[in-house]
Amino acid sequence: MARVYIEELSHHVGNEVTLKGWLAGKRSSGKIHFLQVRDGTGVCQCVASLADLGAESFAAADHMGQETSLEVTGIVREDKRAPGGFELTMKSIAIKSPATDYPITNKEHGVAFLLDNRHLWIRSSRQHAILRVRSEVASACRDFFHERGFVLFDAPILTPTSCEGTTNLFELDYFGERKAYLTQSGQLYAEAGALAFGKVYCFGPTFRAEKSKTRRHLTEFWMVEPEVAYCDLDGDMELAEQFVSYIVGRVLERRSAELKTLERDTTRLRAAAQLPYPRISYDEAIERLKKKGVAVNWGDDFGGDEETALSEEFDRPVMVHRYPTACKAFYMKQDPTRPDVALCVDMLAPEGHGEIIGGGQREDDYETLRTKITSHGLPLAPFEWYLDLRRYGSVPHAGFGMGLERMTGWLCGIHHIRETVPFPRMMERLEP
Ligand code: 4AD
Ligand code: MG
């Protein structure tokens, strides 16, 4: 019998097919059992009657626990009332492996319990929708860069230095001989790639020993980081807005069913599929925040509250550029007309989802960079290779990093980004 996936049922109306999956739920009217079968691509209502199934199978179908694995064979029928628009009139059922007392039921569970059972929680429809959106975002990222001639340039995960400051580094013992660190960002390596290939991107896991327990911080998250030679801050912002609007458009187009499951209001997302995105300077951001009564002073870095207040003023993501040099990393290029600000940009998502992109133009002058490394309290020796990029054919170059989980969290409209990654890692959570 032809095995088909539930998402393909529309091509098989009237045919006999086999579904292979798990029991998501069931109800019974005595004479008929309605089994909700899921196979990872969708859920299909399978209708079992005594006459069609025979007494033995009919009785067995009534005693299966949630998440029992099974194969059902039957005829596909179109039914507008059924959840996915189709149902299966069952002819036979084969139980593969029975399950009893599945821990996640229809009743309300606390989030700690669900996180402890994350390996099972990912089977539920909401988690399913979120992780499918994540998968779509990741593939949209790759398509965007490949369509534009970027080379995938993977950065190492084990590194000898920090990239984003030394306060949140995960340190490892490297063969008892020296220290190594889990990468905070592939950027420094992507810069080497950009000077070799013109335009590159890296996409991989990054790590921050963040002691902040906010809804936007994980200790392990995925970042996609393009880097372009002969590019300045304006070019970087153009790339960032094209990139984000492309992803939004792609998710609206291909993941509308998942957004519906999540009850996501897509009006705000539609605006974010349009260009251009507003650009304001940090100076202007401070003025706007003060007008709104937020207590901030020039020189402060923005936290979640400031970002939320700013994003409320716009219908789509806003790019805030030229933050004070003092709040930013050593590699940022200072504005030549105003050394107190850096040629950097943060993109803030609407509806309080915070910073989804951070990036900017890199310091390309050898002497200035050397001085910055030292003034940030970093040792020069492990950065000699990085300084080589300024010794041999240095050019203006720029890039950014987008956090996959923050992006997914915004698109799905969910509160805490722990649900946007299969197995979240946070200060207080390493399991499962
Ligand atoms: O602003 P960040 O720290 O920038 C960098 O790491 C640059 N080196 C990137 C570059 O220019 N190539 O981080 C970039 C993005 C943030 O905007 C956010 O989306 C995400 O990475 N991010 C986090 N996501 C989840 N948990 C955390 N702890 C995150 N820290 C940053
Ligand atoms: Mg940042």
Side-chain angles (χ1 to χ4, degrees), residues 187-188 191 195 227 231-233 325 329-336 338-339 341-344 359-373 375-376 386-391 393-399:
Q187 179 197 320
L188 306 187
E191 286 184 53
L195 298 198
E227 192 71 29
C231 181
D232 60 8
L233 177 62
T325 312
F330 73 93
Y331 55 72
M332 300 270 188
K333 190 172 179 63
Q334 287 162 290
D335 187 334
R338 256 190 81 182
V341 295
L343 295 176
C344 63
Q361 197 174 328
R362 320 306 187 187
E363 183 51 71
D364 53 337
D365 177 67
Y366 172 78
E367 287 299 341
T368 314
L369 182 61
R370 207 184 149 86
T371 310
K372 292 275 290 284
I373 292 173
S375 70
H376 273 74
Y386 185 63
L387 284 161
D388 269 355
L389 306 177
R390 280 72 179 167
R391 284 188 187 103
S394 186
V395 293
H397 61 287

Side-chain angles (χ1 to χ4, degrees), residues 27-34 48 58 62:
R27 64 193 170 81
S28 188
S29 74
K31 289 201 178 98
I32 299 182
H33 305 318
F34 299 95
F58 186 76
D62 198 23

Side-chain angles (χ1 to χ4, degrees), residues 31 65 138 208 270 288 302 334 375 385 397 412:
K31 289 201 178 98
R208 310 263 170 110
R270 273 177 224 293
R288 282 176 180 264
F302 295 154
Q334 287 162 290
S375 70
W385 72 268
H397 61 287
C412 293

Side-chain angles (χ1 to χ4, degrees), residues 90-384:
M90 284 167 61
K91 284 182 136 180
S92 66
I93 180 168
I95 294 174
K96 292 286 147 193
S97 177
T100 46
D101 301 326
Y102 184 68
I104 302 177
T105 59
N106 276 335
K107 72 169 207 254
E108 284 279 317
H109 297 287
V111 85
F113 175 84
L114 290 169
L115 283 168
D116 287 343
N117 287 284
R118 183 64 176 166
H119 51 295
L120 303 175
W121 190 22
I122 51 175
R123 299 182 187 191
S124 68
S125 61
R126 181 182 147 84
Q127 297 309 311
H128 219 269
I130 296 168
L131 293 176
R132 278 201 171 239
V133 171
R134 176 190 170 99
S135 168
E136 192 69 51
V137 173
S139 92
C141 289
R142 295 193 187 282
D143 290 347
F144 178 88
F145 289 122
H146 284 282
E147 284 165 14
R148 283 158 187 77
F150 284 66
V151 173
L152 172 65
F153 187 81
D154 297 309
I157 288 172
L158 290 171
T159 61
T161 52
S162 81
C163 176
E164 295 297 321
T166 48
T167 53
N168 60 9
L169 274 174
F170 278 113
E171 195 179 292
L172 306 169
D173 167 47
Y174 204 63
F175 299 107
E177 285 176 6
R178 51 183 299 194
K179 284 175 187 167
Y181 308 96
L182 292 180
T183 186
Q184 298 163 307
S185 158
Q187 179 197 320
L188 306 187
Y189 298 96
E191 286 184 53
L195 298 198
F197 292 91
K199 42 188 180 176
V200 298
Y201 75 101
C202 59
F203 193 0
T206 48
F207 306 85
R208 310 263 170 110
E210 302 269 13
K211 294 224 167 85
S212 44
K213 296 184 189 169
T214 81
R215 63 193 184 94
R216 295 174 185 149
H217 287 95
L218 300 171
T219 53
E220 177 180 319
F221 60 98
W222 281 63
M223 186 154 44
V224 54
E225 299 179 86
E227 192 71 29
V228 184
Y230 292 102
C231 181
D232 60 8
L233 177 62
D234 283 334
D236 201 35
M237 290 198 274
E238 235 164 79
L239 183 67
E241 67 181 0
Q242 284 172 9
F243 178 55
V244 172
S245 65
Y246 177 95
I247 296 169
V248 175
R250 170 80 163 260
V251 167
L252 282 171
E253 181 194 315
R254 301 204 189 163
R255 292 294 146 207
S256 61
E258 284 76 11
L259 296 177
K260 204 168 161 207
T261 300
L262 296 166
E263 297 175 355
R264 177 66 165 117
D265 171 4
T266 53
T267 332
R268 297 295 287 274
L269 294 183
R270 273 177 224 293
Q274 310 293 318
L275 291 179
Y277 289 177
R279 299 176 185 190
I280 61 170
S281 66
Y282 172 89
D283 294 352
E284 186 184 338
I286 291 283
E287 288 313 310
R288 282 176 180 264
L289 287 170
K290 281 188 168 159
K291 259 191 210 139
K292 296 190 87 172
V294 181
V296 282
N297 291 308
W298 200 97
D300 294 347
D301 201 359
F302 295 154
D305 294 344
E306 290 81 21
E307 288 172 359
T308 300
L310 275 174
S311 71
E312 277 166 0
E313 309 221 318
F314 304 94
D315 72 338
R316 57 192 78 177
V318 55
M319 292 190 277
V320 182
H321 55 82
R322 294 181 172 79
Y323 282 69
T325 312
C327 4
K328 292 292 178 183
F330 73 93
Y331 55 72
M332 300 270 188
K333 190 172 179 63
Q334 287 162 290
D335 187 334
T337 67
R338 256 190 81 182
D340 61 332
V341 295
L343 295 176
C344 63
V345 59
D346 278 4
M347 187 188 286
L348 311 180
E351 302 162 90
H353 288 275
E355 179 200 321
I356 47 173
I357 278 182
Q361 197 174 328
R362 320 306 187 187
E363 183 51 71
D364 53 337
D365 177 67
Y366 172 78
E367 287 299 341
T368 314
L369 182 61
R370 207 184 149 86
T371 310
K372 292 275 290 284
I373 292 173
T374 313
S375 70
H376 273 74
L378 297 166
L380 274 173
F383 288 102
E384 285 301 335

